[in-house]
Amino acid sequence: MLISEKQHGVDMRSHDKTIRDACDAWLKQCERNNLERATIRSYRGHVDHHIDQKIGGLLVSELARADVKDFLDDLQDDGLSRAMTKKVLGSLRSALGEALDREWIAHNVARDVKLPRNRRDEEERTIPTKEEIRVMLEKAPDRHRPLIVTAIFTGMRISELRGLTWDCVDFDRKLIHVRQRADRFNNMGKPKSRTSKRSIPMAPVVVDTLTAWRSLCPKGDLDLVFPNGKGKIENHSNIHNRVLVPLLVENGIVDDNGSAKFSFHALRHAAASLFIEQNWPPKKIQALLGHSSINMTMDVYGHLFESPEEDVKLFAKMEKDLLAA
């Protein structure tokens, strides 16, 4: 490229590139990188339903932080949740990152815009109580008890449980190796992130339950631990609607409207709460849950590490140590 065709690191021939062009280039790059179909579908939804409709025609070279801020305000004024707005912002940042790599722009302005955190508007995560956990373990039907037991005592994601194969259950070492997952389209793939690939110790009840279940488990080509009746990958919706909801409703674990009190993901929260109750270090819990960072673990479960009673004792000791001097 001639020097005259570049100015401040920007290809001057790209002056007519729009946000829409940047999004198209980014999505094509996602496909070339073989991202999961569900992930690309989600990204495309962010682009088609939000980014393209509001700012798709703007030139990438003229986009300013104020434009991004106005865009986010418009999304929330339209009623989009904070969580979804944050995801859309992430997609916009990635699209502009692609434009930066292609030298269409000299700076990714979306990186400079933060979505303010408003704790009051965030829904409180529903974590099953110990009594609710005991009820689920005791009342789960024989056919689905192995799944419920494993979920509660390991904290594995539902996609990881659906993709678990018997060769990843190490009965000798009492470990479950998370090496793959089944996505919403029932396609097997790599774990959610690099840190999601991990080994989780099995509690005695998990070892005993899976040992007994192995001979009864429906057989299939994939050798799945928790398949459907034909030995194939079980749909996420079937697990929710045919397994969890009846279990909760029939045993009175419901909300004010009589509906199931929580989703299957709450069993992951239940496991985390049990880990924390044992006073395990946050880094160990991060590793067991497969979180990408300790920040994520603390953002989600930090309040469970708090102990007001212990804090009172610490303050009393602080006072005693000070005055004793």
Side-chain angles (χ1 to χ4, degrees), residues 52 103-104 109-110 133 179 187 243 299:
D52 190 68
E103 297 185 331
W104 295 351
V109 295
I133 293 173
R179 297 292 181 266
N187 293 323
V243 179
D299 282 347

Side-chain angles (χ1 to χ4, degrees), residues 6-30:
K6 295 184 67 175
Q7 183 176 349
H8 304 301
V10 177
D11 184 351
M12 301 305 294
R13 297 173 300 179
S14 64
H15 66 279
D16 60 342
K17 297 296 184 181
T18 64
I19 302 296
R20 184 175 297 118
D21 294 325
C23 289
D24 288 343
W26 169 57
L27 290 172
K28 288 178 181 177
Q29 188 62 38
C30 290

Side-chain angles (χ1 to χ4, degrees), residues 137-203:
L137 292 173
E138 294 172 1
K139 301 297 184 179
D142 292 342
R143 168 68 176 83
H144 303 299
R145 187 171 183 274
L147 173 64
I148 300 297
V149 168
T150 306
I152 289 175
F153 283 97
T154 66
M156 291 172 64
R157 301 177 177 90
I158 183 61
S159 59
E160 296 168 345
L161 291 163
R162 292 168 55 236
L164 182 64
T165 51
W166 282 111
D167 64 310
C168 288
V169 180
D170 188 340
F171 287 104
D172 293 332
R173 299 174 61 198
K174 296 181 174 58
L175 294 173
I176 289 179
H177 304 292
V178 180
R179 297 292 181 266
Q180 58 190 9
R181 60 192 282 261
D183 68 15
R184 72 178 68 179
F185 301 104
N186 290 350
N187 293 323
M188 297 289 274
K190 296 179 180 179
K192 186 176 181 181
S193 64
R194 180 179 56 82
T195 53
S196 295
K197 189 175 181 180
R198 62 203 189 279
S199 296
I200 306 173
M202 290 189 284

Side-chain angles (χ1 to χ4, degrees), residues 56-170:
L58 296 181
L59 295 177
V60 291
S61 59
E62 297 181 357
L63 189 71
R65 283 184 298 173
D67 297 320
V68 178
K69 181 62 178 174
D70 289 342
F71 168 60
L72 298 179
D73 290 344
D74 284 346
L75 291 178
Q76 296 198 285
D77 288 343
D78 289 345
L80 196 67
S81 69
R82 184 187 180 282
M84 181 54 71
T85 301
K86 186 175 181 180
K87 292 179 180 179
V88 173
L89 174 59
S91 291
L92 177 60
R93 286 172 175 166
S94 296
L96 292 177
E98 182 66 26
L100 184 65
D101 289 343
R102 293 172 181 270
E103 297 185 331
W104 295 351
I105 54 176
H107 180 65
N108 185 343
V109 295
R111 292 286 179 189
D112 302 327
V113 179
K114 307 296 182 184
L115 191 63
R117 174 171 293 182
N118 187 344
R119 290 290 188 184
R120 292 180 302 174
D121 294 336
E122 292 181 5
E123 292 185 8
E124 185 176 351
R125 290 180 176 85
T126 302
I127 300 178
T129 65
K130 295 182 78 169
E131 180 57 31
E132 290 169 341
I133 293 173
R134 293 190 188 100
V135 169
M136 287 188 286
L137 292 173
E138 294 172 1
K139 301 297 184 179
D142 292 342
R143 168 68 176 83
H144 303 299
R145 187 171 183 274
L147 173 64
I148 300 297
V149 168
T150 306
I152 289 175
F153 283 97
T154 66
M156 291 172 64
R157 301 177 177 90
I158 183 61
S159 59
E160 296 168 345
L161 291 163
R162 292 168 55 236
L164 182 64
T165 51
W166 282 111
D167 64 310
C168 288
V169 180
D170 188 340

Side-chain angles (χ1 to χ4, degrees), residues 239-257:
I239 292 175
H240 177 76
N241 296 321
R242 301 179 185 178
V243 179
L244 186 66
V245 170
L247 174 62
L248 298 182
V249 173
E250 291 171 8
N251 290 283
I253 305 176
V254 295
D255 58 21
D256 294 338
N257 298 318

